[in-house]
Amino acid sequence: MSSPGRLSDPDAEAAVVLASCAGGDELVAVHDALTGSLGTPSVLIGQADLASTPITLDLTSGLLDVGGRRVRPTVVWARHWGAGAIAAHARPAGPVSSLAAATWSEFIRQLTQSAAVTLPGTAPVPPEQLADAARLGVPTPRTVLTTDAAAGARQLGSPRVVVKTANFRLYEPDRQAWQACWPRITDRDAVTAGAGERGRPVIVQEYVEHVRELRVYYLNGAICAFAVRKAHPSSPWTDPLSVSVTPVDCPPDAAEVVQTLCAAWQLSYGAFDLLVTGAGETVFLEVNQDGDWLWYERRARWHGVSFLAAAMVGQLFAQVAA
């Protein structure tokens, strides 16, 4: 590990720092493009590096030493750096204690504070997003959080409801337990609490009749959209090959919703889930500021999001480092 004297080096190279703390290869793709065709200095801190690589951040100078390479973080993009996600995705499973996960989460937070530009920005948590979006005039489904799904469905009064657990893949490392968390559409009168849902809150949401489902990516002004067709909300996990993902032009109304919310929440990157009704109205479901894109690209056989993500980071670095 570098000495304090070396870390104060004023000639340290300015660089992009990408921290991927809990699985997913999205930032690996960005790093490969930055260091390859774009020629942008870049450091990747992966999940394995949290346990195996000496990493030092000098809080006075702001310099970062990763395995002996000293850089000045200029643009930092951190994904899934919450303590719960770090602990759940440690490999092999179980070696990261709650304390270690909490200290790593704080380390990444401090790292983001050291940079001139931080991605992806901030947004409310998904349930809170709906109330905030509605306040901004964006159509949203009525939603309750409850430990009793049946009671929640009765409160909504909608003939059909969606029952789901947000971010279950991120916090539940045991895939065998995912089945209890899969989103499902059901009639209001058929909803039961279910053994897998007792003891924790779930999201119960009115079902919105729609003609189109969109996954829309916002990348610092650029927008990429996919039309998604699936038989059931759980199909991406239960039958992924049946899910159709097609690149499409983003409808103007959907683009306006995305731009409005990103401006309000100061997001540079976000993965939006939207529905388009038969009347052409765009309904906002949620935005994931750490949302994956590689799975959608593979299903669509189109890699525009990866290209735009790398270009976005490279452009931000050039602006700050100039």
Side-chain angles (χ1 to χ4, degrees), residues 39-226:
T40 302
S42 176
V43 175
L44 176 64
I45 300 174
Q47 186 178 344
D49 296 316
L50 302 186
S52 63
T53 302
I55 305 175
T56 301
L57 176 66
D58 187 319
L59 298 181
T60 301
S61 67
L63 297 185
L64 178 71
D65 187 303
V66 181
R69 180 182 177 186
R70 298 185 312 283
V71 299
R72 186 175 300 279
T74 305
V75 177
V76 172
W77 190 350
R79 296 184 77 239
H80 299 319
W81 53 273
I86 291 174
H89 283 261
R91 295 294 180 269
V96 176
S97 66
S98 297
L99 176 59
T103 54
W104 268 117
S105 181
E106 176 60 20
F107 185 97
I108 299 299
R109 189 189 73 81
Q110 290 289 339
L111 174 60
T112 64
Q113 295 294 312
S114 71
V117 176
T118 300
L119 295 166
T122 58
V125 296
E128 185 182 340
Q129 291 173 6
L130 294 168
D132 208 33
R135 180 184 61 79
L136 293 167
V138 175
T140 61
R142 289 191 61 217
T143 305
V144 297
L145 292 175
T146 178
T147 58
D148 186 333
R154 289 193 297 271
Q155 181 173 331
L156 289 177
S158 175
R160 301 178 76 195
V161 296
V162 180
V163 181
K164 57 186 180 180
T165 300
N167 294 324
F168 65 89
R169 292 184 303 155
L170 192 59
Y171 298 109
E172 177 50 72
D174 182 5
R175 287 176 174 263
Q176 298 298 318
W178 284 10
Q179 185 171 356
C181 304
W182 288 335
R184 70 182 194 273
I185 301 169
T186 184
D187 293 337
R188 176 189 58 207
D189 296 335
V191 176
T192 58
E197 293 161 8
R198 292 194 182 102
R200 60 173 173 80
V202 294
I203 297 169
V204 182
Q205 198 166 70
E206 67 173 324
Y207 176 75
V208 176
E209 295 287 350
H210 58 281
V211 296
R212 204 177 197 188
E213 178 180 345
L214 297 174
R215 165 58 72 102
V216 179
Y217 293 92
Y218 178 87
L219 303 104
N220 200 36
I223 290 178
C224 288
F226 296 100

Side-chain angles (χ1 to χ4, degrees), residues 273-297:
D273 290 323
L274 308 172
L275 300 176
V276 180
T277 69
E281 182 180 60
T282 299
V283 178
F284 169 75
L285 298 180
E286 69 172 348
V287 58
N288 187 343
Q289 62 187 13
D290 291 324
D292 301 346
W293 68 77
L294 290 180
W295 186 87
Y296 289 88
E297 286 189 333

